[in-house]
Amino acid sequence: MTRFKANPATHSDVIVIGAGAAGMMCAAHAAAAGLSVQLIDHAEKLGEKIRISGGGRCNFTNIGATWENYVSQNPRFARYALTRYTPRDFIDLVERYQIPWHEKHKGQLFCDDSAQDIIDLLRNECDSAGVRWRMPCSVTEVERIAAVEDSQAVRYRLDTSLGVLTANKLVVATGGMAIPVLGATDFGLHLARQFGLKIIEPRPALVPLVFSTEQWQKYSQLSGVSLEVSIANGPGKKAQRFIEDVLFTHRGLSGPGILQISSYWDGKSPIYLNLNYKANSEAWLLEEKRTSKQQLVTILSSIWPKRFAQLWLEQEGLKNDIKIAEVADKSLRELANTITNWSVTPSGTAGYKKAEAMKGGVDTKGLEQKTMEAKEVPGLYFIGEAVDMTGWLGGYNFQWAWSSAVVCAEAMSAS
C-alpha cells in the first residue's frame, strides 16, 4: 500500500465512478449529506442508457418492487435497500420536480414526456448538492493508498485522463455490459477482481433468444406476429412463469415474455409456452367439435393471428380447410397438448448488443447488505447493475439503482 499526500484540488471524501442512474443518485445523496464528491464518467453525453430506456420515456420504477422481483445468487440481499428507499420515495422525488408520469401496466411507471426529465432531475440533484463533475474522464488505474498524515487511513488513488484524483471512499457504479454501443464495459468487474471480490459469471439478461437457421426456418415467416402466452423456464410447478406477449422475429423470439424468461434461462434447456393459457385447450377444442361447423383454422384464429393458426396446423399435418368436425378426437387432444406445452430450445441469446441488462456481477456475499461496502476492502462500494442483482423487466432495475445508491450514500455519510 503506497503512501500519498492528497491534493485539496483533486481530493474528496468520495469518488463515484459511473454517472448513470445509480452513480448520480449516490453522488447527489452523499453530497447532500455534507460529503465532498467527485463523479467520474468516461462518456461525453450524460445518461444515455436512461435516455433510451422505456422507449424514450424511462420506466423509472415499479410500484410493486420487492426482492422477489430480482434474479441473483441471493435475491434477499436486495431486501434492506428496497425497504429503506422504496418506489414511493422515488415517486415523491419525481413529483417534487413536477414531472408528469403514468402507470402503464403491472405497476410500471413511465414519464409522460421524456426520459430526459429523469436525467435532468438527477443532474440537478447533483449540481444542487455540489457534486464535482469529472466528465468525460477515463480511469486507467485504481490503487489503495495510505495518507501521509494518517498511515491508518484507507484512501484511493485514481490515474485518469484528467490527472490523479484521490478520495477516502470509492463507489463503483459502472453498470454492466449491456448495450456496448452506449459505452457499457466490464470495468467494474475488473476492478472488483483487482480487489479480490468474487464475480458471479456475467451474461446477457432481458434479451431476445435466437435459434439456429434450420430450427427456425418455418417460423421466420411469422416475423412481427405477437401472442400473449404463459412462458416458463421449465415444465414443473417450481418453474419461473410469466404471462406476457411474445414476439416472433426472423432469428427467434423477443417481446416482454422472452426478455423476462431469458434472465432465468440456463443456456441449454427448453423454454415452455402455453399458447392458450386462459383455457383448457383440450376441453375447448372437443366442445367446439361438438357444437361448431367451422373450419379448425377459423376456430384457432379466434385466439391467434390467422397466419400463426395456419402455420400451426401445417406443422401438425392438418389441412387449413379442414372442418373441426372432421378431425379425430385423438388428433384434437394431440393438438391441444402441443398448444399447451410448446417447448423450444434456443441456440443462444442476441447478446449484450440487444440485452437490456446484465445478469451476474459482484457476488453479494462479499458486500455488506446495509451499506454496499466490500466486506474485506474498507471504503470500497459497489452499487447498481455491477452487483449480482438483476431486476425483472418493468422498472425493477431502476429501483435497484436508486435503492442501492441511497443506502450506500447514507452509510458513507454516517461513517
Side-chain angles (χ1 to χ4, degrees):
M1 187 179 287
T2 311
R3 290 194 171 194
F4 187 86
K5 188 169 183 178
N7 178 349
T10 54
H11 181 77
S12 58
D13 295 320
V14 178
I15 285 178
V16 179
I17 307 179
M24 284 193 279
M25 191 72 168
C26 183
H29 273 257
L35 299 176
S36 58
V37 180
Q38 299 178 83
L39 179 55
I40 297 175
D41 200 286
H42 67 283
E44 292 188 8
K45 200 167 182 179
L46 184 64
E48 282 293 88
K49 274 194 176 182
I50 300 173
R51 183 183 60 79
I52 68 165
S53 65
R57 291 192 174 182
C58 187
N59 181 190
F60 57 81
T61 191
N62 192 295
I63 57 176
T66 73
W67 65 268
E68 295 177 285
N69 303 116
Y70 292 83
V71 184
S72 168
Q73 294 288 310
N74 179 23
R76 287 180 183 269
F77 180 87
R79 193 172 198 162
Y80 177 81
L82 294 169
T83 303
R84 178 66 193 86
Y85 190 85
T86 68
R88 183 67 249 180
D89 290 321
F90 193 77
I91 294 168
D92 288 344
L93 178 61
V94 168
E95 291 181 340
R96 198 163 79 232
Y97 276 80
Q98 298 183 331
I99 296 172
W101 58 271
H102 62 278
E103 180 180 348
K104 192 171 182 180
H105 73 139
K106 298 184 178 181
Q108 301 172 14
L109 306 190
F110 291 78
C111 297
D112 284 358
D113 299 326
S114 168
Q116 188 63 44
D117 289 341
I118 301 297
I119 299 172
D120 292 343
L121 176 158
L122 294 167
R123 180 197 283 121
N124 190 71
E125 286 288 290
C126 287
D127 288 342
S128 298
V131 172
R132 282 185 277 170
W133 296 91
R134 307 291 190 190
M135 184 180 175
C137 177
S138 299
V139 178
T140 54
E141 188 176 352
V142 177
E143 179 187 12
R144 290 178 73 206
I145 62 176
V148 169
E149 62 271 25
D150 181 1
S151 61
Q152 299 304 309
V154 174
R155 289 185 175 171
Y156 291 86
R157 177 185 190 275
L158 281 65
D159 289 340
T160 79
S161 57
L162 297 180
V164 174
L165 305 175
T166 59
N168 295 1
K169 300 176 186 295
L170 179 63
V171 180
V172 182
T174 51
M177 293 185 279
I179 322 180
V181 70
L182 296 183
T185 72
D186 60 354
F187 178 87
L189 305 185
H190 278 297
L191 203 55
R193 290 189 180 101
Q194 175 187 329
F195 288 103
L197 278 77
K198 181 184 174 184
I199 301 297
I200 303 301
E201 192 61 33
R203 65 179 182 83
L206 301 180
V207 63
L209 299 177
V210 298
F211 298 80
S212 66
T213 302
E214 180 182 359
Q215 185 182 7
W216 205 246
Q217 188 173 10
K218 60 186 174 184
Y219 298 111
S220 62
Q221 61 185 286
L222 295 174
S223 182
V225 168
S226 180
L227 303 173
E228 186 179 65
V229 306
S230 171
I231 185 167
N233 66 331
K237 291 183 179 180
K238 291 184 178 181
Q240 181 63 48
R241 296 179 185 276
F242 295 96
I243 294 175
E244 292 279 7
D245 286 351
V246 165
L247 175 69
F248 284 76
T249 70
H250 288 296
R251 297 183 60 205
L253 293 170
S254 187
I258 292 297
L259 300 190
Q260 294 281 39
I261 212 65
S262 70
S263 296
Y264 292 88
W265 183 54
D266 62 9
K268 57 187 178 183
S269 301
I271 58 171
Y272 296 79
L273 297 90
N274 183 340
L275 304 173
N276 184 31
Y277 71 92
K278 293 180 180 178
N280 179 318
S281 291
E282 181 177 315
W284 170 58
L285 290 175
L286 291 174
E287 177 62 17
E288 286 290 336
K289 178 180 179 179
R290 190 178 68 82
T291 60
S292 176
K293 297 180 180 180
Q294 291 183 311
Q295 292 179 343
L296 181 53
V297 70
T298 302
I299 292 167
L300 292 178
S301 296
S302 68
I303 60 167
W304 297 336
K306 187 171 182 178
R307 60 188 177 124
F308 183 83
Q310 290 172 332
L311 179 67
W312 200 261
L313 290 183
E314 288 172 12
Q315 75 170 16
E316 292 295 307
L318 295 168
K319 295 179 179 179
N320 272 312
D321 61 354
I322 193 169
K323 292 183 178 180
I324 191 168
E326 299 170 355
V327 183
D329 286 0
K330 181 182 177 182
S331 295
L332 286 179
R333 290 190 176 96
E334 290 172 351
L335 176 61
N337 185 58
T338 60
I339 290 172
T340 304
N341 301 291
W342 187 40
S343 67
V344 287
T345 305
S347 59
T349 75
Y352 286 116
K353 184 178 180 180
K354 298 291 186 181
E356 294 194 15
M358 178 186 79
K359 181 181 177 181
V362 178
D363 191 347
T364 58
K365 288 181 181 178
L367 303 176
E368 295 287 352
Q369 183 183 33
K370 294 184 178 182
T371 67
M372 306 305 295
E373 185 174 18
K375 292 178 179 179
E376 303 297 327
V377 191
L380 180 63
Y381 303 77
F382 289 85
I383 61 175
E385 194 183 347
V387 179
D388 173 36
M389 193 64 61
T390 307
W392 291 0
L393 186 72
Y396 299 99
N397 282 305
F398 272 121
Q399 187 56 47
W400 170 245
W402 316 136
S403 298
S404 61
V406 169
V407 296
C408 174
E410 289 181 344
M412 291 190 297
S413 62
S415 64

